[in-house]
Amino acid sequence: MSLLPKTDSIQIREVWADNLEQEFDLIRGIVDDYPYIAMDTEFPGVVLRPVGNFKNSSDYHYQTLKDNVDLLKLIQLGLTFSDEQGNLPTCGTDKQCIWQFNFREFNPNEDVFANDSIELLTQSGIDFIMNNEKGVDAIRFGELLMSSGVVLNDNVSWVTFHSGYDFGYLLKLLTCHNLPDSQGGFFSLMAIFFPVIYDIKHLMKFSNSLHGGLNKLAELLEVERVGVSHQAGSDSLLTSCTFRKLRENFFSGSMEKYSGVLYGLGVENGL
């Protein structure tokens, strides 16, 4: 039976430049015991659409993803760690802990962005000035993530929702390069850094024809949100709990055959 946490039992640990190292110390200590990692990001939206001829919609979607991730900057990352039963780490406190990393690079006064995305994030409480002044340095974050046991680890399962862009931004941080030119190159990197991934949006196709976004799915499965919508920590927790309910209700036994697919990209479309 999965644990569906109550609001007052959850601590969203906000990560800034001044506590980045100590929070990664905690993460390195818990990842072996809590190897399911639900992840969500917040970024400045989609500002570019490629033109030209594409052999299929999957190639068009990947080119759109690449063009935007290469140009834009990550704003926030949420990580929720859980074990096989859905328990969350407490990290020596009386609360269950999830993490929200706030990055410093994006500046709405200088960088391009999609207006609706930034308006939504502002309404959700993201303070861009504070992020600029106190946020995490993306390069240092990538270094710490690389050696954390969170990536490059066959024993870790990543749980996401429609997450091509989320993984695109993480790959950009980890490699310090633009994304590969082809989907094949992208999925080769994915297989190295994130060997086991489950995209809930893909799993929904095998779940009694469920449809809709994360909030709609959570509502259908009676999963309650903790925290603020469109903040990455809360969204990662909702992703984690929704995955548990989906697995309990629609899947029995190993889910391995559903791993490695990102909705709208690659293998999903017969790459």
Side-chain angles (χ1 to χ4, degrees):
M1 179 70 180
S2 287
L3 181 69
L4 293 178
K6 299 285 186 287
T7 300
D8 59 1
S9 71
I10 295 293
Q11 179 190 32
I12 299 178
R13 298 181 71 95
E14 296 280 359
V15 186
W16 306 92
D18 63 1
N19 66 337
L20 177 66
E21 312 274 339
Q22 67 197 58
E23 294 302 318
F24 261 107
D25 283 345
L26 289 174
I27 286 171
R28 281 192 294 271
I30 58 101
V31 65
D32 288 343
D33 294 324
Y34 299 88
Y36 286 85
I37 306 176
M39 180 264 290
D40 182 73
T41 65
E42 303 298 342
F43 51 88
V46 175
V47 300
L48 296 175
R49 296 285 180 188
V51 295
N53 296 315
F54 298 91
K55 64 182 181 187
N56 52 44
S57 63
S58 175
D59 275 358
Y60 172 78
H61 290 317
Y62 178 70
Q63 191 63 49
T64 306
L65 184 159
K66 172 180 162 54
D67 289 349
N68 283 277
V69 170
D70 287 352
L71 175 68
L72 302 174
K73 297 167 184 174
L74 188 60
I75 294 170
Q76 203 176 60
L77 167 73
L79 296 178
T80 294
F81 293 76
S82 60
D83 64 15
E84 187 67 40
Q85 288 71 46
N87 301 301
L88 277 54
T90 57
C91 299
T93 70
D94 60 352
K95 303 278 191 184
Q96 299 169 84
C97 300
I98 67 175
W99 280 267
Q100 183 161 275
F101 296 84
N102 303 283
F103 293 93
R104 67 169 50 168
E105 283 74 22
F106 175 72
N107 182 341
N109 296 319
E110 298 175 1
D111 297 316
V112 291
F113 56 84
N115 283 326
D116 55 346
S117 296
I118 296 307
E119 281 175 19
L120 193 62
L121 295 181
T122 302
Q123 289 165 11
S124 300
I126 291 182
D127 182 338
F128 294 107
I129 294 173
M130 187 170 174
N131 278 21
N132 284 155
E133 293 174 351
K134 298 185 176 180
V136 168
D137 176 79
I139 292 175
R140 182 59 183 146
F141 173 85
E143 292 170 349
L144 290 167
L145 186 64
M146 187 76 85
S147 59
S148 64
V150 171
V151 297
L152 307 164
N153 187 345
D154 293 342
N155 297 317
V156 162
S157 296
W158 288 81
V159 177
T160 61
F161 188 96
H162 201 173
S163 52
Y165 282 84
D166 300 320
F167 282 118
Y169 280 102
L170 285 190
L171 285 176
K172 181 181 171 184
L173 290 187
L174 287 162
T175 63
C176 297
H177 284 95
N178 287 341
L179 294 182
D181 290 334
S182 70
Q183 284 196 81
F186 175 80
F187 279 101
S188 294
L189 284 180
M190 286 293 299
I192 293 167
F193 287 102
F194 309 101
V196 184
I197 58 168
Y198 296 103
D199 188 333
I200 294 172
K201 187 72 172 169
H202 175 64
L203 297 179
M204 287 166 69
K205 298 201 304 189
F206 310 95
S207 308
N208 202 20
S209 300
L210 289 172
H211 60 278
L214 178 61
N215 287 325
K216 176 68 174 173
L217 178 62
E219 190 181 308
L220 288 169
L221 295 174
E222 299 180 336
V223 177
E224 289 186 28
R225 176 183 288 280
V226 175
V228 181
S229 178
H230 303 298
Q231 289 218 9
S234 173
D235 283 356
S236 74
L237 178 59
L238 192 67
T239 300
S240 179
C241 296
T242 302
F243 174 73
R244 296 284 157 200
K245 286 293 287 278
L246 194 69
R247 190 169 78 162
E248 285 172 8
N249 290 352
F250 296 101
F251 298 91
S252 58
S254 171
M255 295 183 65
E256 193 174 338
K257 69 179 180 180
Y258 303 105
S259 170
V261 180
L262 293 179
Y263 182 83
L265 295 174
V267 225
E268 229 236 1
N269 288 292
L271 180 70

